[in-house]
């Protein structure tokens, strides 16, 4: 018997009460003992509504279940069999791949890897469809059904032979699987209730239809409650419903904002009840969710999260990609290593070592001790990945054992994975511990499947993409993300459906189909037309929800995007009358336009550094505000890890080569000896390992031009009585003029000469003309600062730049009277620091090349100042400027 409403009506608080009355009245009229009847619903989210309706009605209620909830209660499931289809898609693909390789001896997989992968995926999808169709057949009729399907598959010849062969293979596998491990739903055919009740909404569930038809054939009373309109007047029935609103947006971002605004407005209008956010377009819904959470709205997701999108999934994949980068280092490998190190629980207590290592990789200048600290930490970290660095093909079981040992042998790491729902989902998806790795057939399958590291990463990523985790639902959440097919008949006070366009709603495109339309029709299997009909029914059911808003975008990039075909059919059914358009707009804040003045901060209460470097003094002289941001606030920009070779990389390498050369050079070395030693040192000192092979070649070519001129200059310097003393020297010294602050820095080179004189030499690979301009008097901070660091009692100290890249040989650019300039520099710095501590503002100067290269430009808002700085700002300045 089928009971259907005379017309399609909107959902309200009485809908389920009417359905409960229909069931009760039918049972009373037929003399059915209601407490022994079973009412099967399409999905579990409807169970509370149906049970609540009978609780309010009073009296006996039927047993209200779904197939998924009833089957386990009717008896234990058949034990797992090794030859049966696995419960997850990823493992099924391993099973199929192993079987196809065995049949073909692996020839297809080697000859055409992409085609083989396509065939594996197609067989798995087809076998899954065959298995569902067989589960919907009564057990007594399955053998005949399979024989009919096999006969029709074998009857075709010509084009499509391979597809039919694969479809037949998938059918045989599904039939064999269901024979050795019958589905739990078979218990429904054996159940003997007083009556069966079915609910048809959004189409009929084939298994439920088969169970109820089998019961009716045995004389068991059956009632169908039909909530779908007749197929021949689908949209005509929907036209009688209150029309939904339509919200048009210009692009994807606008669509997400519009959907979020509609949800917020529904929450404002309804103080009680849940709002449905229908996940027709998952990408748009993720953006809407982010906007709602920014507005402090609690959201629950009926479908859960793909494990690959969770932090635990990202952490798991980061470890595998880091292992691959160790096996095959390439540009950008440090990004992968840092992504792993920063999120691995094993390194949670070593944050300082990790910070130093990152600074080293980003090209920061570090002391030798800090470099050694970073290298030691990195060597320990690499040893952790040693079990995963072997690139050769290995059994999957060995790979997974190595992963399990990494994560689960350490109690702290194991707790981090097991205490997190997403972490447990990762362990389950990769079968890293019991009971997941003990299923029937899995140990043998994992031992027989052999992967390279690349293949393991692909498999692991696929496993996490297929697995899902449903987080705990906060009880106060009032926004529910649900698919279109799961929104029907639920007590939502409003619903928002983003993605109501021609691509995402009603725009069906056939996928891979090994079965074919003709065989589908002959066997009664659903195809593209049936899928489109089910989506249309789900859409009609969504139209019954109160306060429905359909959100869509007008364009996809530069391509115009039309409305969904289902919307067009609805408009036609309404006689061409357009849907009402929502006028809601995203909330806007009114901001008064205010000019941005150059900042002038007070540093009187700041914690000043214990010592100054030459770059800190340069920052102060260029712009006091830059000094404040960099030195007092500690702000800095991170260099990119995956960068190309720069002049600085060449300079660092050249410094290292010259240091090694002078450390090994004999005091009485001849020119030929120097030439051989310098070239040997150049071969021994490797460029930065982060740079791709060949990137330094243009710079290394200039080294060949440098060698002979530099050695000639060095021989002449030896004859003048000067000798190399030390290189790359870290120096610190107090600076009485600066009070509590001292000086620190690294000197490229110290030479000693006649009469105990000392010269500080700073290697440069820049333009000599610029260096010559800088080395005049107080314009030069760097050499004056280095001379102050090198000064000793009674010693005569000089300082000079040595420009190495000049065509006619190294150029000597000396800073005359450097000690006197250093003393004056420190004195004027002390006076300016005292004024700043006393409350004089540190202003942003906003002029010259210093601004063009400044990392703090966005902080001082230089590009948004209302007016150029005045003369007073330009004079705040330069501690060494001429009065």
């Amino acid at each position: 018997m089928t009971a259907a409403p005379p017309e399609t009506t909107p959902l309200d608080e009485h809908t389920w009460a009417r359905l409960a009355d229909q069931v009760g009245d039918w049972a009373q009229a037929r003399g059915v003992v209601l407490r022994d009847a079973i009412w099967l619903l399409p999905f579990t989210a409807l169970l509370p509504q149906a049970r609540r309706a009978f609780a309010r009605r009073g009296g006996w209620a039927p047993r209200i279940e779904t197939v998924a909830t009833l089957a386990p209660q009717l008896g234990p499931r058949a034990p797992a069999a090794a030859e049966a289809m696995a419960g997850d898609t990823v493992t099924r693909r391993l099973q199929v791949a192993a079987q196809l390789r065995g049949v073909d001896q692996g020839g297809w997989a080697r000859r055409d890897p992409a085609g083989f992968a396509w065939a594996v995926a197609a067989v798995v999808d087809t076998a899954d469809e065959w298995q569902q169709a067989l589960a919907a057949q009564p057990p007594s009729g399955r053998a005949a059904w399979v024989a009919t399907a096999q006969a029709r598959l074998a009857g075709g010849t010509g084009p499509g032979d391979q597809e039919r062969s694969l479809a037949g293979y998938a059918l045989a596998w599904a039939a064999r699987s269901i024979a050795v491990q019958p589905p739990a739903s078979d218990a429904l055919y054996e159940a003997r209730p007083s009556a069966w009740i079915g609910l048809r909404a959004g189409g009929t569930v084939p298994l439920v239809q088969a169970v109820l038809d089998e019961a009716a054939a045995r004389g068991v009373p059956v009632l169908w409650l039909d909530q779908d309109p007749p197929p021949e007047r689908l949209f005509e029935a929907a036209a009688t419903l209150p029309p939904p609103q339509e919200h048009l947006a210009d692009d994807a971002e606008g669509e997400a904002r519009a959907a979020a605004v509609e949800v917020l407005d529904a929450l404002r209008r309804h103080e009680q009840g849940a709002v449905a956010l229908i996940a027709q377009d998952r990408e748009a819904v993720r953006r809407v969710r982010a906007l709602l959470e920014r507005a402090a709205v609690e959201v629950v997701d009926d479908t859960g999260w793909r494990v690959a999108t969770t932090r635990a999934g990202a952490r798991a994949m980061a470890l595998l990609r880091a292992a691959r980068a160790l096996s095959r280092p390439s540009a950008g490998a440090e990004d992968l290593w840092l992504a792993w190190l920063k999120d691995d629980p094993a390194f949670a207590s070593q944050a300082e070592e990790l910070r130093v290592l990152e600074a080293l990789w980003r090209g920061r200048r570090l002391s030798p001790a800090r470099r050694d600290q970073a290298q030691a930490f990195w060597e320990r970290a690499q040893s952790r990945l040693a079990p995963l660095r072997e690139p050769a093909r290995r059994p999957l079981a060995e790979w997974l054992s190595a992963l399990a040992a990494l994560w689960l042998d350490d109690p702290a790491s194991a707790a981090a994975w097991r205490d997190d729902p997403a972490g447990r989902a990762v362990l389950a998806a990769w079968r890293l511990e019991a009971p997941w790795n003990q299923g029937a057939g899995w140990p043998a399958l994992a031992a027989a499947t052999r992967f390279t590291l690349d293949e393991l990463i692909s498999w692991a990523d696929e496993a996490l993409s297929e697995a899902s985790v449903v987080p705990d639902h906060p009880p106060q959440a009032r926004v529910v993300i649900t698919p279109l097919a799961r929104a029907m008949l639920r007590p939502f006070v409003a619903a928002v459906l983003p993605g109501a366009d021609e691509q995402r709603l009603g725009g069906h495109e056939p996928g891979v189909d090994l079965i074919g339309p003709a065989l589908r029709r002959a066997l009664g299997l659903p195809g593209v037309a049936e899928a489109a009909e089910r989506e249309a029914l789900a859409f009609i059911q969504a139209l019954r929800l109160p306060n429905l808003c359909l959100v869509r975008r007008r364009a996809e990039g530069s391509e115009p995007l039309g409305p969904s075909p289902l919307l067009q059919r609805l408009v036609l059914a309404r006689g061409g009358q357009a849907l009402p358009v929502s006028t809601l707009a995203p909330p806007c804040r009114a901001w008064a336009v205010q000019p941005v003045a150059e900042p002038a901060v007070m540093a009187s209460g700041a914690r000043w550094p214990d010592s100054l470097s030459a770059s800190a003094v340069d920052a102060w002289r260029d712009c006091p505000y830059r000094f404040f941001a960099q030195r007092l606030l500690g702000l800095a920009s991170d260099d990119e890890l995956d960068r190309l070779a720069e002049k600085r990389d060449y300079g660092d390498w050249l410094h290292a080569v010259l240091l090694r050369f002078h450390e090994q050079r004999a005091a009485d070395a001849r020119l030929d000896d120097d030439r051989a030693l310098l070239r040997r040192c150049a071969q021994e000192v490797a460029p930065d390992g982060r740079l791709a092979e060949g990137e330094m070649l243009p710079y290394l070519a200039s080294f060949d031009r440098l060698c002979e001129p530099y050695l000639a200059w060095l021989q002449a310097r030896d004859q003048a009585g000067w000798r190399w003393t030390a290189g790359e020297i870290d120096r610190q010294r107090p600076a009485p003029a600066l009070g509590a602050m001292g000086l620190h820095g690294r000197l490229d080179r110290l030479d000693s000469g006649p009469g105990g004189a000392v010269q500080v030499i700073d290697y440069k690979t820049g333009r000599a003309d610029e260096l010559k301009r800088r080395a005049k008097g107080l314009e030069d901070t760097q050499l004056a600062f280095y001379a102050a660091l090198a000064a000793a009692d009674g010693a005569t100290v000089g300082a000079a730049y040595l420009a190495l890249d000049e065509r006619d040989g190294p150029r000597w650019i000396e800073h005359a009277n450097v000690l006197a300039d250093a003393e004056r520099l420190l004195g004027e710095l002390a006076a300016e620091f005292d004024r700043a501590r006393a409350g004089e503002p540190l202003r942003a100067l906003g002029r010259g090349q210093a601004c063009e290269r400044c990392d703090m430009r966005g902080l001082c808002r230089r590009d948004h100042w209302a007016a150029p700085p005045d003369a007073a700002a330009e004079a705040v300045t330069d501690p060494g400027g001429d009065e």
Side-chain angles (χ1 to χ4, degrees), residues 195-215:
W196 285 100
I197 304 160
L199 177 64
R200 186 178 288 117
T204 304
V205 178
L207 177 59
V208 174
Q209 182 76 56
V211 169
L212 269 61
D213 288 348
E214 178 84 357

Side-chain angles (χ1 to χ4, degrees), residues 23-62:
V23 172
D25 294 345
W26 173 80
Q28 185 177 5
R30 294 291 301 269
V32 170
V33 180
L34 199 55
R35 68 173 181 271
D36 295 331
I38 298 177
W39 186 6
L40 289 179
L41 301 181
F43 50 92
T44 55
L46 299 180
L47 295 177
Q49 282 70 251
R51 290 169 179 170
R52 193 178 299 118
F54 268 98
R56 291 172 180 168
R57 184 176 186 274
W60 289 107

Side-chain angles (χ1 to χ4, degrees), residues 438-464:
Q438 297 177 347
W442 171 255
L445 181 62
T449 302
R450 301 180 69 84
F451 281 157
T452 63
L453 182 55
D454 285 338
E455 292 168 338
L456 172 71
I457 291 174
S458 297
W459 173 85
D461 192 27
E462 183 183 20
L464 297 187

